[in-house]
Structures are given as structure tokens and as C-alpha cells.
Amino acid sequence: MSDLDALMKAFGEAGGDKAILGNNEIAHLVASGHKLLSMKSVEGLEVDARETMAGISAKVTVKEGIRIKNPVHLCFGVLHKKGTQKIKMDVRLEKNSSAHFIAHCIFPNAEKVRHIMDAVVEIGEGAEMRYSETHFHGLYGGIEVIPKSIVKIGKNGRYFTDFTLTTGRVGKLDIDYSVEAGENAVTELTARVFGHANDEINIKERVVLAGKNSRGLIKTRVALEDEAKAEVTGITEGNAEGARGHVDCMEIVKDNATAKAIPIVSVIHPLAKVTHEAAIGSVDKRQMETLMAHGLTPEEAVDLIVKGILK
Amino acid sequence: MLLLEIDGLTYGAGDKTILDDFSMTIEPSEVHALLGTNGTGKSTLAYLIMGCEGYMPSSGEIIFEGKTINTLKIQERSKLGITMAWQEPVRFEGISVSDYLRLKNKDINPSYYLEMVGLHPELYLHRMVDKSLSGGERKRIELASILALNPKLAILDEPDSGIDMLSTQDIVNVISAFKDNGSSVLLITHREEIVLIADRASQICNGKIVCTGNPDKVAEYYKSRKCFVCDGEVCAYV
Ligand SMILES: Nc1ncnc2c1ncn2[C@@H]1O[C@H](COP(=O)(O)OP(=O)(O)O)[C@@H](O)[C@H]1O
Ligand SMILES: [Mg+2]
């Protein structure tokens, strides 16, 4: 089997739709380990990708005024048991452009794999970017994932991210996102992670509301079981008139898992406002009792509640 | 045979006796209203019948279809056909109204039950049972979900209370839907006009039944509000 076939097979098994590769109207970039396997662009999307010593480096530009209709799929995987993959991404959305990127990160056999993502994103005036990243790590837990991104949103720009790692083991996860929002800019960062066994989860997300009337939301949903550990830091700074920010963290723990939430909110402009809420604990008793009164067993009730918050 | 018999139930928390030698019965297919002012022990009784965690009577028996259920867990009581709508229903992230109504039985038609509680299915089926619902919407959805379970006994804890509450007509509709299914209802309320739709009513005061019988008569007693002034001394005006 070719590398591409092998990766696509794993992609299919992780719930992905393999048909996207053959569709001429859908842009994609597929890399396995340090190898660039397949790439397609669409009008208004420039992709300059190359292989590096440690992985892949890509420069992605969405041209001014271009609204890319179909999501752009990025597929990164390591199929070997061991290895390092470093992805460097430089993404630029020019004025009034828009695009939705969906990243599929697949490491089904990882026993000792490191996946490092370093992204720098610049969203131009009036541009909108959505970035959804879904991970599939298999059952071994021998993976370390280190996604880091620095994002700058221009006036009236919008940036939404969604990070999902809810099937299989997590391994070690160390997210570090930082977003600066300009005037009237809107950003929402969402992360959902389910930790098992001795998984270690570290999520740090920072939103700087630098521009007048900018908006920020950091939403984190973590479920933990067995001996898993999580620490979630949500930082929002309100630095300009009319800026509004909110940090919303919920962590459900079972068994011997431990969770920590550190919301840090600061305001340096008197007309900015930042709020936060954090709920950490075992599954809510009233929710459990309600579901059991509806005929569910305790196990079914926990399962449904956890699935719900990770949805 | 009685569907539910509560016999000499006593329950306290801290040094407060909340239910004091409390007894009442519910017949099959009967709507029995329990009327009482705030703090008289109505919700506590509901939790004891449902078997919520921490609600174990210090004496007395809860008998369902002839069997004592005092030691059964909530999910075991639910299997027997007992269910309950909490006074303040909880919210769930990531569960749609449609899924919530089909929790136990996937084959029911959720639209049918939404219409029964006065909600347009097309507006609500895909909403989440989370914070985005108003208090009244959440309560209606809870009632719809209880109807969909087709229970033998539905405990409804103040379905008529709260902001943007259900109208008396809404409650009448829901109660008649339960009756049509042959379900019994323990209808907890503090509003005497609601009592009139029941087959039988009881007034609770200070953890005890002070009056049972024809709903008109019990509502009449309640309106005189003797329980507010008696200070727990002369509750026996049955
Ligand atoms: N866990 C508890 N500990 C102490 N007092 C309680 C507890 N639960 C309820 N109570 C008290 O018992 C009384 C009855 O409460 P409740 O059953 O909620 O009344 P109702 O539903 O009729 O308004 C109230 O005075 C309430 O404050
Ligand atoms: Mg009450």
C-alpha cells in the first residue's frame, strides 16, 4: 500500500470522508510524517508547501475578497510507532476573504510520536477564518501533541477555532494559543478533550482584546477518567473601550482523575469587561438523577452527560 | 390495589423534622393533588418517593403496587414505572430536545409530545436542553419527556410555578394527557385553582396531611390559610 493509501485508510477509520481527495472543488494538503503526499488548490487559495528536515512547512494565502466555498482539508498523520512531525504553518487571509480549514491529525499507532504544530495566522480587515482540528490518536497513548499558534485579527475580522480530541487516548497534549483581536474583531476558541488512563492535558489559551469593541470567548470542555490530569488556563485581557470577553471552562472528573482550571482575566480600560466561569467536579448529581428517573442506568447517564459536554 | 401507599413516613434533616408521620395514598389512574404553602415538605416528599440520594426515611414505608420500595435506588423505582418532573429541571449541554424526549424509548414521536405541552415541534426539536431555553420552555419540555415515558406514576413538582409559567389551561391539558394514558399523577402545587383539576386532593402543612378529600373542599380549606396562623398547633381541622 502506498503511504497515501495507508493514511487515507486510517483517515477513513477515524471517521473521515476519503472522497474529499478526488473532488476538484475541494482544496487539500496531505502529509504523512515528513512527506508531502497530495495537494490541491482552488481559485484564490495559494499554498506553498515543502518538506523540511523535521516535517512540513506551508505558507497559505487566501487572496483579497476571495471566499472559499468548501472547507480546505489538511490531513497530517504519522502511521509509524515512532517519529516526530513538525508542521510549520503561515496562514494569511487577505482583506475581506474567508475560509474554513479542517485539520485531521491522525496517529493511530503512536507509541512514541511527537507532533508539533507551529502556526502564525494573520486575518486581514473584514476577513473570516474558521479552523477546526480533530485528532485521532489510537489506543496506545504514546503521543505528544504540541500545537502552538499566534493569531492576529485585523479590524472587523473574525476567527473561530475548534479543537477536538475525544476518541482514543490523548497521550500528552500541550496547547498554547494566543489571539490578538483588533477593532470590532470577534474570536471564539473552543477545545474539547476526553482524557483517559495517564493522559496529560495542558491547555493554555490567551485572548487579547486590543481593539475597540472587540469580542472574545474561550470555551473549554474537558472530561477525565482513570488517572488522567488536566490543567486549563484561559486568559483574557480587555484592553480597549467596549471590549467584551468571557472565559468558560467546564471539567468533569471521574475515578482518580485530577483537574485544574485557571481563569485569568484582566482589564486595563475602564470601559472593557471580562467575565469568567469555571465548573470542575464529578458529574452533576441532579443531572444524573434526572436521567435515571427517565430510565437510564447510572453508567448510561454518565456517558450521555459526558458525550453532551464534549459535543 | 392501591398504586402508592405512604404509611407513617418520617424524615428529618439536621434537627428539623420535615415530614412527620406522613401518610397518603394514590389509586391507579388517579390524579391526586398535594397542596401546601412554601416550605411544608412537598418537594422532600417527592424526593423520598423517587428515591433521590440522601433521602432515606427514618421510619415509615413507601409501598408501590403492594411492595415496599424504601431501599430501591432511583433507577430501580423508575423501572417500576415511577418518574418525576423536578420543580427546577436541570439543563444539559449537548443534548437536543428530540434526543431528550427519546431517552428511553427511541420509537416515540417527539413532535407529538411537544404539541401536547404547547410547543411547536419545528421550533424546538433541534434546540438543546441547555441554558438557552427559558424557564417555562424547560419546564414544558420536562413535562413532555415525562409524558413520553408513559409512567404508572408521575410526580409533578409544581409544574405551574416559576416565571413564564404554564397557564392553568396548559396544566389541564398535560394532566388530561396523563389521564388518557392511564397514568396516576401526584400533582404538587401551592395554587388552589390547580387542585380543582384533580380527582382528589390533600393539604400538607408542616410535614403532615391536614385534610384529604374532594378537591373543592380541600381548596376551600386551603384558601382560609389556617396553616399560616396556627403555628403548627391546631392543624387537625379535617
Ligand atoms: N437538606 C435540608 N436540610 C435542612 N432543611 C431542609 C432540607 N431540605 C429541606 N429543608 C427544609 O424543609 C422544609 C421543607 O422543604 P421542601 O420540601 O423543599 O418544601 P416545599 O417543597 O413544600 O416548599 C423547608 O423549611 C426547607 O427549608
Ligand atoms: Mg418545593
Side-chain angles (χ1 to χ4, degrees):
Chain A
M1 203 185 322
S2 75
D3 286 352
L4 182 60
D5 289 343
L7 185 63
M8 281 302 110
K9 183 167 171 279
F11 177 54
E13 283 163 2
D17 176 10
K18 290 181 265 187
I20 53 174
L21 282 199
N23 188 327
N24 271 326
E25 297 185 356
I26 298 178
H28 72 253
L29 181 106
V30 178
S32 181
H34 303 178
K35 272 196 265 175
L36 205 51
L37 301 180
S38 176
M39 209 166 100
K40 183 178 298 153
S41 189
V42 292
E43 202 196 324
L45 175 73
E46 274 181 19
V47 182
D48 173 13
R50 59 193 171 79
E51 297 173 356
T52 64
M53 287 285 286
I56 305 292
S57 175
K59 199 162 181 292
V60 177
T61 308
V62 183
K63 300 307 253 178
E64 183 173 336
I66 296 285
R67 312 187 79 81
I68 296 176
K69 196 171 84 205
N70 293 310
V72 177
H73 289 264
L74 310 168
C75 187
F76 302 121
V78 175
L79 297 179
H80 297 95
K81 293 177 182 168
K82 294 182 184 175
T84 295
Q85 181 184 52
K86 187 166 177 175
I87 311 279
K88 214 173 153 304
M89 294 272 287
D90 190 341
V91 181
R92 193 173 306 260
L93 268 76
E94 293 183 357
K95 200 171 161 183
N96 295 327
S97 65
S98 80
H100 181 186
F101 294 88
I102 301 181
H104 313 270
C105 301
I106 302 164
F107 312 96
N109 311 309
E111 287 176 13
K112 195 168 175 12
V113 169
R114 259 164 85 91
H115 167 82
I116 302 163
M117 163 86 83
D118 256 320
V120 175
V121 178
E122 207 174 308
I123 314 254
E125 192 178 325
E128 174 172 329
M129 171 166 164
R130 284 177 187 272
Y131 180 76
S132 316
E133 180 167 330
T134 302
H135 280 245
F136 181 72
H137 288 187
L139 304 169
Y140 306 108
I143 179 154
E144 199 174 337
V145 169
I146 310 169
K148 189 169 172 204
S149 67
I150 297 172
V151 182
K152 207 167 164 179
I153 317 171
K155 188 173 166 182
N156 297 323
R158 297 156 77 84
Y159 178 69
F160 303 96
T161 62
D162 223 309
F163 180 96
T164 308
L165 204 177
T166 52
T167 28
R169 290 285 306 276
V170 174
K172 265 192 192 171
L173 172 68
D174 199 348
I175 292 183
D176 185 353
Y177 288 165
S178 178
V179 179
E180 185 183 312
E183 189 178 334
N184 273 320
V186 176
T187 185
E188 280 182 31
L189 314 180
T190 307
R192 304 163 202 276
V193 182
F194 195 170
H196 320 264
N198 61 351
D199 289 343
E200 280 178 41
I201 296 157
N202 218 308
I203 299 174
K204 185 168 154 209
E205 290 170 306
R206 175 161 174 256
V207 170
V208 178
L209 300 168
K212 225 168 123 174
N213 296 323
S214 53
R215 296 274 181 274
L217 170 67
I218 299 176
K219 181 172 165 183
T220 320
R221 296 291 180 264
V222 175
L224 301 168
E225 62 181 13
D226 310 323
E227 316 286 323
K229 285 189 175 63
E231 181 169 312
V232 176
T233 310
I235 307 168
T236 298
E237 299 173 15
N239 297 351
E241 181 185 336
R244 293 281 177 277
H246 187 63
V247 180
D248 172 3
C249 173
M250 190 193 281
E251 296 176 73
I252 289 188
V253 291
K254 296 200 305 189
D255 311 319
N256 297 315
T258 52
K260 217 181 207 182
I262 310 167
I264 301 175
V265 296
S266 75
V267 159
I268 59 167
H269 193 286
L271 295 174
K273 187 172 173 180
V274 181
T275 49
H276 71 82
E277 59 189 306
I280 308 189
S282 53
V283 182
D284 184 78
K285 193 172 109 189
R286 282 278 308 282
Q287 289 185 334
M288 285 290 290
E289 290 188 333
T290 299
L291 295 178
M292 290 192 285
H294 281 78
L296 271 60
T297 64
E299 295 73 30
E300 290 168 337
V302 171
D303 203 47
L304 191 69
I305 293 165
V306 167
K307 275 203 188 114
I309 75 152
L310 294 177
K311 213 189 256 172
Chain B
M1 186 170 57
L2 289 167
L3 182 71
L4 180 76
E5 184 181 359
I6 294 171
D7 185 19
L9 203 65
T10 299
Y11 173 82
D15 51 8
K16 182 180 162 68
T17 301
I18 301 174
L19 288 179
D20 184 8
D21 196 16
F22 180 99
S23 299
M24 79 179 290
T25 60
I26 299 180
E27 308 272 346
S29 307
E30 180 188 39
V31 177
H32 192 148
L34 182 68
L35 182 61
T37 54
N38 271 333
T40 46
K42 303 182 298 299
S43 292
T44 303
L45 175 70
Y47 303 152
L48 280 158
I49 300 172
M50 194 67 239
C52 295
E53 196 190 314
Y55 286 85
M56 184 61 100
S58 54
S59 63
E61 282 198 275
I62 305 168
I63 301 160
F64 189 75
E65 294 188 313
K67 291 197 188 75
T68 300
I69 59 165
N70 284 34
T71 57
L72 295 190
K73 296 200 182 73
I74 188 163
Q75 66 271 24
E76 294 163 331
R77 298 187 199 201
S78 158
K79 265 211 192 85
L80 294 178
I82 306 173
T83 192
M84 147 163 169
W86 269 256
Q87 194 170 337
E88 295 283 344
V90 277
R91 318 286 177 137
F92 295 91
E93 276 195 17
I95 301 181
S96 71
V97 169
S98 166
D99 287 343
Y100 191 69
L101 296 182
R102 296 182 301 126
L103 276 178
K104 188 167 160 229
N105 186 350
K106 304 273 175 265
D107 302 328
I108 61 113
N109 173 9
S111 301
Y112 172 78
Y113 294 97
L114 285 176
E115 272 164 8
M116 266 187 195
V117 295
L119 296 177
H120 292 294
E122 63 276 21
L123 296 180
Y124 286 93
L125 278 176
H126 304 292
R127 295 276 302 269
M128 294 290 153
V129 190
D130 61 12
K131 283 189 281 192
S132 68
L133 294 171
S134 75
E137 288 168 333
R138 179 67 190 90
K139 272 185 109 126
R140 284 169 199 263
I141 286 160
E142 194 61 21
L143 288 171
S145 76
I146 298 291
L147 275 169
L149 287 173
N150 196 13
K152 287 183 185 160
L153 173 64
I155 306 164
L156 309 182
D157 193 357
E158 306 218 23
D160 53 334
S161 77
I163 28 174
D164 72 328
M165 60 183 173
L166 283 76
S167 68
T168 306
Q169 189 54 48
D170 291 330
I171 302 286
V172 169
N173 294 344
V174 169
I175 296 298
S176 48
F178 278 110
K179 283 184 96 152
D180 292 346
N181 286 345
S183 300
S184 295
V185 178
L186 175 59
L187 175 60
I188 295 173
T189 181
H190 66 263
R191 287 166 57 206
E192 69 269 6
E193 64 271 30
I194 293 296
V195 166
L196 303 178
I197 63 180
D199 300 314
R200 190 155 58 117
S202 294
Q203 186 187 339
I204 179 173
C205 182
N206 205 11
K208 263 186 161 42
I209 296 285
V210 293
C211 165
T212 291
N214 187 303
D216 303 334
K217 197 181 99 190
V218 175
E220 210 44 52
Y221 276 129
Y222 180 72
K223 256 193 287 189
S224 63
R225 301 261 163 161
K226 288 178 187 159
C227 53
F228 268 153
V229 292
C230 80
D231 242 357
E233 282 166 26
V234 281
C235 267
Y237 56 95
V238 187

